[in-house]
Amino acid sequence: MRDTRNSGQSGVQKRNHTYGKTPHNLSRGSHDRLVCGFTDILIGCLPLLRPGGVVVITTRPFRKGGRLVDFPAQVWAAAQDAGLEPVQRLVALLCGIKDDRLVTRASFFAMHETGQARAAGLPLHVNAHEEVLVLRRPLDPGQDIAPAPQDAR
């Protein structure tokens, strides 16, 4: 991505910014298909985890048609539908510290889209966080704690 300041051309030039053009790509289907696909992916991950093994997912809300979609809540539900147990749902601020103050570190695209929305009269704000979802594979029946990893020596 290059903006006017970097390219000398008016506006924003993007390249290599899509998830591919094949119709089977989850980003090309409906939102429901995306969530179902996410559930299927997590179901496929279960056999790779030991009992008590942890999965950590970062995700963030996004806008679709001007409305904020609580995608983290949908991923949280999809993970539980896949058979994972919830452990923690955390917030990670997208920020830095400058002169002892928090300052936003939102992505260029989030800032750009918010600016366009405001120019169109929509009073939107830039998302200042992502969510960190911590889940685990359930323990086997009768197992109190997850076994320690085997020594690789």
Side-chain angles (χ1 to χ4, degrees):
M1 184 282 314
R2 295 179 66 178
D3 63 8
T4 304
R5 178 182 52 207
N6 295 320
S7 70
Q9 299 176 16
S10 179
V12 176
Q13 290 79 46
K14 302 177 191 177
R15 68 175 195 192
N16 301 323
H17 64 284
T18 63
Y19 292 106
K21 297 182 180 182
T22 62
H24 300 294
N25 189 306
L26 288 177
S27 69
R28 296 286 174 213
S30 70
H31 184 76
D32 288 340
R33 184 172 161 239
L34 173 64
V35 174
C36 288
F38 211 93
T39 304
D40 291 342
I41 290 166
L42 292 170
I43 288 170
C45 291
L46 276 174
L48 304 174
L49 295 169
R50 65 179 169 81
V54 174
V55 173
V56 178
I57 304 165
T58 60
T59 182
R60 63 177 169 250
F62 62 86
R63 295 199 181 276
K64 185 172 186 173
R67 295 187 164 264
L68 191 62
V69 175
D70 187 3
F71 194 56
Q74 294 171 350
V75 172
W76 186 246
Q80 291 175 73
D81 289 346
L84 294 166
E85 293 179 341
V87 176
Q88 283 186 302
R89 188 171 171 183
L90 307 164
V91 172
L93 293 177
L94 301 174
C95 65
I97 299 175
K98 182 177 182 180
D99 299 326
D100 295 328
R101 294 183 319 138
L102 290 177
V103 294
T104 186
R105 289 287 188 251
S107 73
F108 171 83
F109 292 109
M111 302 274 286
H112 181 69
E113 290 171 13
T114 300
Q116 287 182 324
R118 287 182 179 178
L122 297 171
L124 300 184
H125 295 280
V126 175
N127 289 340
H129 76 286
E130 290 189 357
E131 293 199 27
V132 180
L133 311 178
V134 183
L135 302 111
R136 72 176 186 172
R137 179 178 164 180
L139 297 171
D140 291 334
Q143 187 178 7
D144 290 332
I145 59 170
Q150 294 294 320
D151 190 352
R153 289 186 259 173

